[in-house]
Amino acid sequence: MVGQPAGLARVRAGMERRYAELREYLESAMTRQASALLISGAEKYSGVPLTTLYFGSGNHLEYVLGLLFREYRVVEEHRHLNAWQARRWVDGYRNKVDLVTADLPWPYHRVLAGRGMLEAPAWVNQKLQLPETWDGVLAQLRSSARGEDLRKVRKHGLDYRIVHDEEAIRRFYDEMYVPHLTNRFGGAAYIEPEWRVRYCAESGALMQILRDGEVVAGQVLFGNRQSLQSLWTGTSGGEFGQQSQGVFPALYYFGLLYAFEGGYHEADYCGSRPLLSDGIFQLKRRWGGQVYDGWSRDTLFFLPTNLGQGNLSFLSHHALIARCRQDLVGKVFLGTEPIRPADVVRVEQVYSTTGLRAIKLYSLQPPSPEALDAARATPGIELVDLSGEAQAAAAYCRR
């Protein structure tokens, strides 16, 4: 509204935000609509044929298909189903496909929970607790962040400023945030509505990353009690071009500095996909992010019904983060290769993350005595021998 005082506009935006979030939550709980898709295609890495049943809300369909296939076609499509029918569809197709997948919001995920499927939060949260000294903050970062990443920030002369004006926020949304997500995730991108981004930037802060006075990236920071959330990020000039050199380390470094100087007790890096090998997950890990469950109301389920070449390739290329009772664990599948001491060392160095109860290494071959010794000497690493399992695929999900 033209001429509306800034304070009233902010109050109105806040009321709109709370109403929309409540509506979104209730719709998630009340909507029973689901679809079942029988899909056939070429597995993403091996190219061998793979068939899957997808049952779910569709919230993460593009993401799941992106994990599984390089190309695919929908063989059967059943729409307007009841989400409570998930168990019937899963049981009806488990002997007809290579892989059963499900994508269910709360509370419908309870239909499949604890029934032998690998259960993963659709998103995990990563946060860093902030001690009282800056040296204490830096000590929690990986050496790669303190060394390589900070050198990039200095080398490219990056700096930051905080802005709140409407035009800057609009340009961030249209020219950085939306293009960044669509370029990176394609059809699997979830674009937040502009009103939500605008409200959080106006109530919190828009941090602009500068190179020679030019804005090359930005992020929306929003304080929530003792925590500063880094909600949405965007870059200009493409994600991997010359413009992006050092930009992502700068976003994390200056965001962390801003949280510390603002007296916050926690830097919240927000959601990441439940993959230990995911690039965003790894970047947040470098910057000290501890893993938490509960950020997403949606749950993904996977049930390989065999360990043919397609499923072997899918599982070996995706180190999934899964729920194990009240904890989170990492699942690293080595396929038909025996576990070696070098595998234990590599997994600990590359994947070990605070917040995971354990990282489990699975193999269809018995581990060597040397590998067992290496695992016993490495806290948080567990070896799982599937060689004696009559149903190794089910054991992978269960154990």
Side-chain angles (χ1 to χ4, degrees):
M1 180 184 299
V2 177
Q4 187 177 40
L8 290 178
R10 188 171 291 110
V11 170
R12 180 182 178 184
M15 293 176 64
E16 290 175 352
R17 172 176 176 264
R18 284 189 288 272
Y19 169 75
E21 288 180 341
L22 177 62
R23 185 180 64 187
E24 181 181 296
Y25 184 81
L26 292 175
E27 286 176 352
S28 173
M30 298 302 294
T31 299
R32 298 184 177 184
Q33 292 294 307
S35 300
L37 307 176
L38 178 61
I39 301 168
S40 177
E43 191 274 327
K44 184 172 183 177
Y45 293 94
S46 66
V48 304
L50 185 73
T51 59
T52 186
L53 172 76
Y54 169 91
F55 182 93
S57 63
N59 288 348
H60 306 278
L61 173 60
E62 292 295 333
Y63 174 70
V64 170
L65 295 180
L67 294 180
L68 295 176
F69 297 107
R70 65 173 61 168
E71 57 184 19
Y72 64 87
R73 63 187 179 93
V74 178
V75 179
E76 295 179 16
E77 184 173 359
H78 306 270
R79 300 286 184 180
H80 309 298
L81 304 175
N82 191 316
W84 291 115
Q85 296 175 310
R87 187 183 303 173
R88 179 168 71 83
W89 281 89
V90 168
D91 290 343
Y93 274 79
R94 67 170 67 218
N95 295 322
K96 301 177 182 179
V97 296
D98 300 308
L99 179 69
V100 177
T101 61
D103 165 13
L104 295 173
W106 177 93
Y108 306 104
H109 73 288
R110 295 175 181 171
V111 175
L112 297 179
R115 296 189 61 82
M117 302 181 75
L118 186 153
E119 179 180 340
W123 298 88
V124 295
N125 193 197
Q126 288 175 272
K127 298 187 285 189
L128 174 64
Q129 303 302 315
L130 302 179
E132 295 183 356
T133 67
W134 183 243
D135 285 344
V137 173
L138 294 177
Q140 296 185 83
L141 310 183
R142 299 273 167 178
S143 59
S144 55
R146 295 194 304 268
E148 177 185 351
D149 285 355
L150 290 183
R151 280 195 295 271
K152 288 180 180 178
V153 174
R154 292 191 294 267
K155 175 182 177 182
H156 295 283
L158 298 171
D159 202 349
Y160 80 95
R161 69 184 174 204
I162 300 296
V163 298
H164 297 90
D165 64 278
E166 182 179 346
E167 177 63 18
I169 295 169
R170 185 191 63 77
R171 289 176 64 88
F172 166 78
Y173 185 87
D174 291 338
E175 300 176 15
M176 293 188 181
Y177 168 69
V178 173
H180 170 71
L181 257 64
T182 53
N183 289 341
R184 180 173 177 82
F185 299 108
Y190 175 75
I191 307 296
E192 292 283 357
E194 185 176 359
W195 68 262
R196 180 174 294 173
V197 175
R198 186 186 73 244
Y199 168 81
C200 291
E202 291 175 347
S203 303
L206 174 62
M207 173 177 283
Q208 296 179 330
I209 303 300
L210 309 174
R211 178 188 290 119
D212 298 326
E214 180 185 359
V215 179
V216 294
Q219 62 181 334
V220 175
L221 303 172
F222 187 79
N224 180 14
R225 295 178 184 157
Q226 301 296 308
S227 178
L228 184 70
Q229 298 175 303
S230 177
L231 293 176
W232 305 292
T233 295
T235 64
S236 65
E239 186 175 345
F240 302 106
Q242 185 63 32
Q243 287 277 82
S244 68
Q245 294 297 313
V247 160
F248 288 100
L251 286 166
Y252 283 90
Y253 173 68
F254 291 127
L256 194 56
L257 182 63
Y258 185 79
F260 177 78
E261 292 181 340
Y264 291 97
H265 295 173
E266 180 180 81
D268 188 345
Y269 300 145
C270 295
S272 304
R273 285 301 190 179
L275 278 178
L276 292 173
S277 56
D278 179 78
I280 296 297
F281 180 91
Q282 282 287 322
L283 185 56
K284 294 175 182 179
R285 174 181 176 269
R286 285 161 72 110
W287 286 87
Q290 180 173 339
V291 186
Y292 296 85
D293 199 354
W295 196 76
S296 172
R297 294 192 296 270
D298 294 351
T299 299
L300 303 178
F301 296 89
F302 299 91
L303 178 64
T305 62
N306 59 63
L307 287 181
Q309 188 177 352
N311 277 330
L312 284 176
S313 180
F314 164 65
L315 295 177
S316 63
H317 282 93
H318 297 94
L320 291 162
I321 298 173
R323 293 189 178 120
C324 182
R325 292 180 287 278
Q326 302 302 314
D327 300 317
L328 293 175
V329 300
K331 288 177 173 271
V332 179
F333 190 78
L334 299 180
T336 58
E337 295 295 324
I339 302 173
R340 303 165 299 173
D343 295 318
V344 176
V345 174
R346 183 185 67 84
V347 164
E348 196 280 330
Q349 291 177 342
V350 176
Y351 294 146
S352 181
T353 305
T354 305
L356 299 179
R357 181 179 62 77
I359 297 179
K360 300 186 177 187
L361 277 69
Y362 297 81
S363 176
L364 296 172
Q365 298 291 331
S368 67
E370 294 79 11
L372 290 170
D373 290 340
R376 281 191 287 265
T378 309
I381 302 295
E382 299 179 10
L383 307 188
V384 183
D385 179 7
L386 299 177
S387 63
E389 296 283 352
Q391 296 181 316
Y396 162 79
C397 295
R398 182 183 70 252
R399 296 179 60 183

